[in-house]
Amino acid sequence: MNKLRGVARCGLPFPPPTKIIRFQRQGCTNRPFYHIIVADVKSDIHFPPIEQLGTHDPIANENNEKLTSLNYERIRYWLSQGATTSRPVQELLGLAGFFPIHPRSYMTAWRNRKLAEETSKIETTGTNEQEKE
Amino acid sequence: MAALRHISQSLLRNFLKTEIRPNPETCSVCIRLLNYSSIDYDDKHDPSPKFFNKEVQSLLKDLTRIDLGKVNKRKRLGSDKLEEPVYQFMTDEELQKATEAAIKKSEELLQIPPVVSVRKPINRVLSEDPALQGLEQSTMVFTDITFGIRDSDRLIVVREPSGILKEAEWDVKNRMNQLYFPKEGRLLKPPKMFFGEYFESLLERKEYEFILDRACLQFEPNDPDYQRVTSITYQHVNDKGGFEMLRSTRHFGALVFFLAWHKNIDNLLLDLIETSYIEEGSKLLDLYSKLHDVNFKSSNDLEKIEEYIKNFAKKKAGLELGVQAYKDVLKQRQELEEGIKVAHGLR
């Protein structure tokens, strides 16, 4: 029966992971700041975590840097215990060079580039039209 | 005698100013300030093997001339309230033990800050991924906060907007280390007292110990800023004759090493001769010979100094006058002693 259940998970890990490494929003209104934590998959987002593994500040500082701290040793430990990671954490660890880069990062980058191109095109054509008028 | 001393001093003060000139090879960062330029220990001639040599260390310690009263003096830090002194009755044994403890403590306080060559810039690219362009407008800094790693070994990497992943540069590394593992008294940004007019004014007020203490706290010894601040301060001390202010502090050894390394010990030697510390003068020359592989033939202290003046000194006139004055003092002393003996009817 267990084997069958394993097959039914379509290549996903079995037994299904009970721990997850994810962000937990700290900060305050309009000022996000995240702890990177390990918690039970089903636990509430505000529950106290099992362990804190790092921090992530999504707002750039005065030197235009976004700061992240990661406790690689403990992250390795929890991964070895079969913990999964949430997608934002996967992306972050990908950028840090700890995981392979997440496909979503490439997609976002590509979309941003495309958007920037389009806006610059509109701006240039818009100004050209204005000049013609 | 006094006239001779006055002449030798004025000779030095007026037209024999320091002549440490950084040659273009040995100086990587030159910032003009007060007519002094920063002199780094460059990595072509690494001073650390010679500095950490046991004999050199013991020579530096001897030259520091430890005064227990000055070492254990209460420093005017402004924060703590003054405590009432405690007076104790002690037996001889207890007194000896207390003195030994004081000496041990002073040895800790007098550790000379390490003299090492200035660090090289980090340029280690880990991976390049141009497909990540456009993902972020700002650089991402990732710091490893694993427990029990030394600050110097901590992995700190940077993902730039262009998609390049590389090891962080020194200033970012220091900033992150201080941010996540703060050291008490060190600031995230170096304080203004090390730059421009603020630094100049401190030097003018001769706050040498304050500058050097704070520099030790704020910077790592291989930091170009540390070497700039300390080297300029040492040159200032050397020119203004502020040796007595640094004596019996942890910085005196580093000062002496700096002067000996750059072959500029004449002012210090004259100071030692004038204050009749000929033995220390000889030790200074031992240090000089160790650093530059020079041998002095004579073993007598005074003869050794004369040999140095003859062969290596840049400021011969002043030093010769100083030695002459010292000899006169010796002569006078001898005459006085003999006179006393005669007066007491011993001869």
Coordinates of all heavy atoms in Angstrom, one line a residue, chain B residues 50 55-56 59 260 265 282-296 304 308 312:
Chain B
K50 N 59.9 39.1 10.1 CA 60.9 39.7 11.0 C 60.3 40.3 12.3 O 60.9 40.2 13.4 CB 61.6 40.9 10.3 CG 62.5 40.3 9.1 CD 63.7 41.2 8.9 CE 64.7 40.4 8.1 NZ 65.7 41.1 7.4
E55 N 63.5 37.3 18.9 CA 64.6 38.2 19.4 C 64.1 39.7 19.1 O 64.3 40.6 20.0 CB 65.9 38.0 18.6 CG 66.5 36.7 19.1 CD 67.7 36.4 18.2 OE1 68.2 37.2 17.4 OE2 68.2 35.2 18.3
V56 N 63.5 39.9 17.9 CA 63.0 41.2 17.6 C 61.9 41.6 18.6 O 61.9 42.8 19.1 CB 62.5 41.3 16.2 CG1 61.7 42.6 15.9 CG2 63.6 41.1 15.2
L59 N 63.5 42.6 21.9 CA 64.2 43.9 21.7 C 63.1 45.1 21.8 O 63.3 46.1 22.5 CB 64.9 44.0 20.4 CG 66.3 43.4 20.3 CD1 66.8 43.4 18.9 CD2 67.2 44.0 21.3
A260 N 62.7 51.8 12.5 CA 63.9 51.0 12.1 C 63.7 50.4 10.7 O 64.6 50.4 9.9 CB 64.0 49.9 13.1
I265 N 65.9 56.1 12.3 CA 66.0 56.0 13.8 C 66.8 57.1 14.4 O 67.0 57.1 15.6 CB 66.6 54.6 14.3 CG1 67.9 54.4 13.6 CG2 65.6 53.5 13.9 CD1 68.6 53.2 14.2
S282 N 71.9 51.1 22.1 CA 72.6 50.0 21.6 C 71.6 48.9 21.1 O 71.7 48.2 20.1 CB 73.5 49.4 22.6 OG 73.7 48.1 22.4
K283 N 70.5 48.7 22.0 CA 69.5 47.7 21.6 C 68.7 48.1 20.3 O 68.4 47.3 19.5 CB 68.5 47.6 22.7 CG 68.9 46.6 23.7 CD 68.0 46.4 24.9 CE 68.6 45.5 25.9 NZ 67.9 45.5 27.2
L284 N 68.5 49.4 20.2 CA 67.9 50.0 19.0 C 68.8 49.6 17.7 O 68.3 49.2 16.7 CB 67.7 51.5 19.1 CG 67.1 52.2 17.9 CD1 65.7 51.7 17.7 CD2 67.1 53.7 18.2
L285 N 70.1 49.8 17.9 CA 71.0 49.4 16.8 C 71.0 48.0 16.5 O 71.1 47.5 15.4 CB 72.4 50.0 17.1 CG 72.5 51.5 17.2 CD1 73.9 51.9 17.4 CD2 71.9 52.1 16.0
D286 N 70.9 47.1 17.6 CA 70.7 45.7 17.4 C 69.5 45.4 16.5 O 69.6 44.6 15.6 CB 70.6 44.9 18.7 CG 71.9 44.9 19.5 OD1 72.9 45.1 18.8 OD2 71.8 44.6 20.7
L287 N 68.4 46.1 16.8 CA 67.2 45.9 16.0 C 67.4 46.3 14.6 O 67.1 45.6 13.6 CB 66.1 46.7 16.7 CG 64.7 46.7 15.9 CD1 64.1 45.4 16.1 CD2 63.8 47.8 16.4
Y288 N 68.1 47.4 14.4 CA 68.4 47.9 13.1 C 69.2 46.9 12.3 O 68.9 46.6 11.1 CB 69.2 49.3 13.2 CG 69.5 50.0 11.9 CD1 68.6 50.9 11.4 CD2 70.7 49.7 11.3 CE1 68.9 51.5 10.2 CE2 71.0 50.4 10.1 CZ 70.1 51.2 9.6 OH 70.3 51.9 8.4
S289 N 70.2 46.3 13.0 CA 71.1 45.4 12.3 C 70.3 44.1 11.9 O 70.5 43.5 10.9 CB 72.3 45.0 13.1 OG 71.9 44.3 14.3
K290 N 69.4 43.7 12.8 CA 68.5 42.5 12.5 C 67.6 42.7 11.3 O 67.5 41.9 10.5 CB 67.6 42.2 13.7 CG 68.4 41.5 14.8 CD 67.8 40.2 15.2 CE 68.8 39.4 16.0 NZ 69.3 40.0 17.2
L291 N 67.1 44.0 11.2 CA 66.1 44.2 10.1 C 66.8 44.4 8.8 O 66.3 44.1 7.7 CB 65.3 45.5 10.4 CG 64.4 45.4 11.7 CD1 63.5 46.6 11.7 CD2 63.5 44.1 11.6
H292 N 68.0 44.9 8.8 CA 68.7 45.3 7.5 C 69.9 44.5 7.3 O 70.7 44.8 6.3 CB 69.0 46.8 7.5 CG 67.8 47.6 7.6 ND1 66.8 47.7 6.7 CD2 67.3 48.5 8.6 CE1 65.8 48.5 7.1 NE2 66.1 49.0 8.3
D293 N 70.1 43.4 8.1 CA 71.3 42.5 7.9 C 72.6 43.3 7.8 O 73.4 43.2 6.9 CB 71.2 41.7 6.6 CG 70.0 40.8 6.7 OD1 69.7 40.3 7.8 OD2 69.3 40.5 5.7
V294 N 72.8 44.2 8.8 CA 74.0 45.0 9.0 C 74.7 44.5 10.2 O 74.1 44.2 11.2 CB 73.7 46.5 9.1 CG1 74.9 47.3 9.2 CG2 72.8 47.0 8.0
N295 N 76.0 44.4 10.2 CA 76.8 44.0 11.4 C 77.6 45.2 11.9 O 78.3 45.9 11.1 CB 77.7 42.8 11.1 CG 76.9 41.5 11.0 OD1 76.0 41.3 11.8 ND2 77.2 40.7 10.1
F296 N 77.6 45.4 13.2 CA 78.4 46.3 13.8 C 79.6 45.6 14.5 O 79.4 44.6 15.2 CB 77.7 47.1 14.9 CG 76.6 48.0 14.3 CD1 75.3 47.6 14.5 CD2 76.9 49.1 13.6 CE1 74.2 48.4 14.0 CE2 75.9 49.9 13.1 CZ 74.6 49.6 13.3
K304 N 79.5 51.3 19.5 CA 78.5 50.9 18.4 C 77.8 52.0 17.9 O 77.6 52.2 16.7 CB 77.6 49.9 19.1 CG 76.9 49.0 18.1 CD 75.8 48.2 18.7 CE 76.3 46.9 19.3 NZ 75.2 46.1 20.0
Y308 N 77.6 53.5 14.1 CA 76.4 53.7 13.4 C 76.4 55.1 12.8 O 76.0 55.3 11.6 CB 75.2 53.5 14.3 CG 73.9 54.0 13.7 CD1 73.2 53.3 12.7 CD2 73.4 55.3 14.0 CE1 72.0 53.8 12.1 CE2 72.2 55.8 13.5 CZ 71.6 55.0 12.5 OH 70.4 55.5 11.9
F312 N 76.0 55.0 8.9 CA 74.6 54.9 8.4 C 73.7 56.1 8.7 O 72.7 56.3 8.1 CB 73.9 53.7 9.0 CG 74.6 52.4 8.8 CD1 75.3 51.8 9.8 CD2 74.6 51.8 7.5 CE1 76.0 50.6 9.5 CE2 75.3 50.7 7.2 CZ 76.0 50.0 8.3

